[in-house]
Amino acid sequence: MKKLLILGAGTAGTIMVNKLAPVLDKREWQITLVDQDEIHYYQPGFLFIPFGIYTRQDVIKPKRDFFPPGVEVIISPIELIEPDRNRVKLQNGKVLNYDILIIATGSHIHPEETEGLLDGGWRQNIFDFYTVDGACALAQHLKYWEGGKLVMNVVEMPIKCPVAPLEFVFLADWWFTEQGIRDKVEIEYVTPLPGAFTKPIASKYLGNFLEKKNIRLVAEFNTGRVDSTRNKLISWDGREVDYDLLVIVPTIMGADVIGRSGMGDDLNFIPTDPHTLQSKQWENIFVIGDATDVPTSKAGSVAHFESEILFENILRYIDGRPLLPDFDGHANCFIESGFGKGLLIDFNYTVEPLPGKFPLPGIGPYSLLEETRMNHWGKMMFRWMYWNLLLKGAELPIEAQMNMAGKRR
Amino acid sequence: MATKTIAGKSIEVDAEGFLLNPDDWNEAIAEALAREEGIELTEEHWKVIRFMRQDFKERGQIPTIRRIKNAGGIPVQDLYRLFPDGPAKKAAKIAGLGKPQGCV
Ligand SMILES: Cc1cc2nc3c(=O)[nH]c(=O)nc-3n(C[C@H](O)[C@H](O)[C@H](O)COP(=O)(O)OP(=O)(O)OC[C@H]3O[C@@H](n4cnc5c(N)ncnc54)[C@H](O)[C@@H]3O)c2cc1C
């Protein structure tokens, strides 16, 4: 019996197991899936928790609801991967051998990487919303907050879902307006990037939105430390930003087990072929989702597009055929912009987000880089799609490769 | 693509003046590129530049600030002091490496 082992049953691992289980011959292949957590978190939903739009219950489901029959599932932390010996050690003492390994262990926040961030202010007047606990604590805080200076800070790039902090300030502008205290709140967006977003055209559009919504942009600010006794963010080159309420996206890194196993770069992301998704170092190891170092956004939509290519490539690898270099870095993200509206961006490794229309058979077109109600509904519908289609590995009405149709240069 | 005469040598550079071919680099070029950035190279700078070139040779990738800190043992604060306003880009430029990949 040959063994296919999948590490991590989040977005990407769950999609892969659902695609592979029905087609691999059960007499030849044993599929095993390992994760430390029994709960699946719908992470895009974390954004809405601080504003009371979603609760914890709205973003969690038991992982087992999404596993296909005939797959061995082990709930345990993964202790060590030994790629040169084709085996994986679990914390529960088990040792798993594999013929093919798929790594989908995601990415996680590391507030301890920033000096002073975990001192006095953490979860008092400093919050993250990249964990469900952080998002819930922030919801509780915002409920009684009477106003002051709100700072949204991104400590360093890359982060998962690079639009989420922008969405946070757009929603905050709307929410404080609804609460009738917008005039008592100053909102500042403090980023290491030269503008609102990573790519120039989208950065210009999104920068205009910040201005329109009276949100101040502080660019090229590389956070060195936080002084929570004086409520100040201090950059490596000595600039200071003060805050009353700090919402922060701490340093994001790949899973610790990747670092422990000596398989990652300095942020524990695994060097991965950007087009085939094969590990650059081990030919029987494949990497998908946030765990890779490929230069596109770390997002659920990306994990989905990658899964279509990786599925083909796993079958080709098993059959001894050359891998297809077909992944183009495609990402597709709705951006919630407040007041029941949203934007949409669609891009890949070589084409930055452009304005125009995004055709979608039966449903679209959506507008690109333009605020519409339709895009807001796209965003809200994404949760239903995620639980009911995406995780189950179903085909979505959108191609894995990016399409230029409708886009304007 | 353009060529530019740096320290008496004609060299291919990109639109922002990053060397296209790291092998064209020499120490005189580093001094000249640094001067354009308003930096007078000291031994501390050279330590960073040498580490970056060595690491690039071994791994084929321009080291990030975190890499220079972890593997090169140079504190982030020092990098910002030595190469003000964007040490990752500036140090890579002076070290004759290409432009570090932007973020996505
Ligand atoms: C606030 C926020 C908003 C977002 N918004 C969007 C959005 O609008 N659109 C979008 O497309 N994406 C969005 N994302 C990003 C998206 O959620 C992630 O990119 C996606 O979930 C990545 O999938 P993954 O499978 O790589 O990682 P994950 O889904 O995080 O799964 C990783 C799994 O590995 C397991 N694991 C890790 N280490 C170990 C170990 N040592 N032992 C055992 N198990 C381990 C974890 O328990 C987890 O289940 C958002 C993310 C956040 C935080």
Side-chain angles (χ1 to χ4, degrees):
Chain A
M1 202 64 156
K2 292 198 183 133
K3 296 200 158 91
L4 183 132
L5 177 58
I6 303 177
L7 301 181
T11 312
T14 304
I15 298 175
M16 285 313 295
V17 78
N18 280 309
K19 282 185 178 292
L20 289 165
V23 301
L24 289 191
D25 189 338
K26 294 213 167 30
R27 290 162 307 183
E28 263 185 71
W29 284 93
Q30 156 82 55
I31 303 181
T32 304
L33 182 63
V34 187
D35 201 293
Q36 61 200 0
D37 204 330
E38 296 190 30
I39 295 171
H40 193 115
Y41 296 94
Y42 173 64
Q43 298 175 45
F46 295 177
L47 169 69
F48 297 103
I49 291 178
F51 309 104
I53 300 168
Y54 287 168
T55 64
R56 185 186 290 263
Q57 290 314 315
D58 293 324
V59 300
I60 62 176
K61 283 189 195 282
K63 282 201 156 110
R64 68 179 125 76
D65 289 3
F66 301 94
F67 299 148
V71 168
E72 179 190 24
V73 176
I74 302 174
I75 300 293
S76 163
I78 302 152
E79 189 64 41
L80 195 70
I81 306 169
E82 297 182 313
D84 293 322
R85 307 172 77 167
N86 294 323
R87 67 179 197 193
V88 170
K89 291 183 172 163
L90 306 186
Q91 210 184 63
N92 68 11
K94 261 207 177 99
V95 177
L96 303 171
N97 296 298
Y98 61 82
D99 295 284
I100 297 176
L101 181 67
I102 298 177
I103 301 180
T105 42
S107 62
H108 316 272
I109 62 162
H110 284 268
E112 78 286 356
E113 286 284 315
T114 301
E115 186 188 328
L117 183 50
L118 289 176
D119 295 353
W122 185 249
R123 304 250 161 113
Q124 299 297 317
N125 66 338
I126 304 177
F127 299 87
D128 79 285
F129 65 96
Y130 270 48
T131 57
V132 76
D133 289 341
C136 290
L138 178 53
Q140 196 56 27
H141 188 83
L142 279 181
K143 224 158 56 180
Y144 301 104
W145 197 51
E146 286 171 0
K149 185 170 168 197
L150 165 68
V151 169
M152 172 79 242
N153 175 233
V154 176
V155 170
E156 64 180 309
M157 296 303 288
I159 61 170
K160 56 178 152 182
C161 199
V163 293
L166 275 172
E167 296 181 277
F168 181 85
V169 288
F170 292 156
L171 280 173
D173 165 62
W174 158 77
W175 195 77
F176 292 126
T177 306
E178 291 278 291
Q179 305 300 307
I181 59 166
R182 183 64 182 91
D183 57 334
K184 298 197 180 68
V185 181
E186 208 184 317
I187 308 179
E188 212 163 87
Y189 189 77
V190 181
T191 169
L193 296 170
F197 192 61
T198 50
K199 299 285 172 177
I201 295 178
S203 189
K204 194 175 124 241
Y205 276 82
L206 292 166
N208 290 344
F209 273 105
L210 288 176
E211 220 177 288
K212 212 176 76 187
K213 292 173 191 291
N214 196 18
I215 298 167
R216 222 169 78 106
L217 175 71
V218 178
E220 295 185 323
F221 187 96
N222 290 282
T223 304
R225 64 192 171 91
V226 175
D227 181 344
S228 60
T229 51
R230 291 161 59 230
N231 286 344
K232 277 184 199 303
L233 276 175
I234 300 140
S235 72
W236 287 112
D237 53 7
R239 287 152 73 198
E240 294 191 350
V241 164
D242 44 36
Y243 62 83
D244 295 308
L245 171 58
L246 174 62
V247 179
I248 198 160
V249 182
T251 300
I252 301 259
M253 295 171 73
D256 293 338
V257 62
I258 303 303
R260 279 201 296 281
S261 308
M263 297 177 74
D265 62 15
D266 285 82
L267 288 167
N268 296 344
F269 294 121
I270 305 172
T272 305
D273 184 294
H275 302 293
T276 64
L277 303 174
Q278 187 176 38
S279 142
K280 283 186 176 163
Q281 214 175 335
W282 297 278
E283 66 150 32
N284 63 339
I285 298 183
F286 296 84
V287 195
I288 182 168
D290 292 358
T292 76
D293 74 337
V294 306
T296 187
S297 286
K298 297 191 181 299
S301 65
V302 172
H304 163 76
F305 298 134
E306 288 174 338
S307 77
E308 309 219 329
I309 282 94
L310 185 56
F311 171 69
E312 290 294 332
N313 277 342
I314 296 280
L315 299 184
R316 286 177 152 258
Y317 181 80
I318 288 173
D319 290 338
R321 312 293 301 179
L323 305 182
L324 296 174
D326 279 1
F327 183 60
D328 65 352
H330 190 189
N332 178 284
C333 301
F334 286 105
I335 305 174
E336 190 64 13
S337 59
F339 298 93
K341 291 187 182 169
L343 294 89
L344 177 64
I345 54 176
D346 190 67
F347 57 103
N348 69 13
Y349 289 141
T350 50
V351 179
E352 66 173 306
L354 296 170
K357 293 282 176 212
F358 184 72
L360 198 60
I363 313 172
Y366 290 97
S367 302
L368 292 166
L369 275 176
E370 197 183 305
E371 222 185 6
T372 65
R373 294 201 174 273
M374 177 92 170
N375 286 334
H376 163 71
W377 290 114
K379 177 101 191 173
M380 300 321 269
M381 238 169 52
F382 189 62
R383 183 171 62 140
W384 184 90
M385 295 232 305
Y386 184 90
W387 293 126
N388 295 287
L389 300 174
L390 191 131
L391 284 184
K392 295 180 176 161
E395 299 272 330
L396 299 186
I398 157 169
E399 295 289 324
Q401 270 96 12
M402 200 203 72
N403 196 320
M404 280 306 290
K407 295 191 171 65
R408 282 197 320 266
R409 286 229 188 235
Chain B
M1 195 165 60
T3 53
K4 187 175 159 188
T5 307
I6 311 171
K9 204 175 153 190
S10 170
I11 284 169
E12 289 183 352
V13 293
D14 73 5
E16 290 172 72
F18 285 83
L19 264 55
L20 289 183
N21 183 0
D23 291 336
D24 287 345
W25 183 89
N26 62 37
E27 297 200 348
I29 289 175
E31 309 257 3
L33 289 171
R35 228 166 289 129
E36 282 178 20
E37 300 288 339
I39 297 172
E40 201 58 50
L41 295 182
T42 65
E43 187 44 38
E44 268 185 298
H45 292 96
W46 280 112
K47 198 177 149 207
V48 178
I49 294 167
R50 279 189 216 109
F51 168 77
M52 290 181 78
R53 288 201 56 97
Q54 185 61 29
D55 197 58
F56 179 79
K57 209 164 102 191
E58 284 164 16
R59 298 166 36 110
Q61 263 176 22
I62 303 167
T64 60
I65 289 188
R66 183 175 292 269
R67 173 87 195 152
I68 301 171
K69 176 186 88 168
N70 291 351
I74 297 151
V76 179
Q77 208 132 17
D78 290 358
L79 290 172
Y80 277 90
R81 177 170 52 79
L82 297 167
F83 303 95
D85 305 327
K89 259 166 108 178
K90 261 191 195 163
K93 188 171 187 183
I94 296 168
L97 310 175
K99 188 177 169 186
Q101 211 172 35
C103 279
V104 264

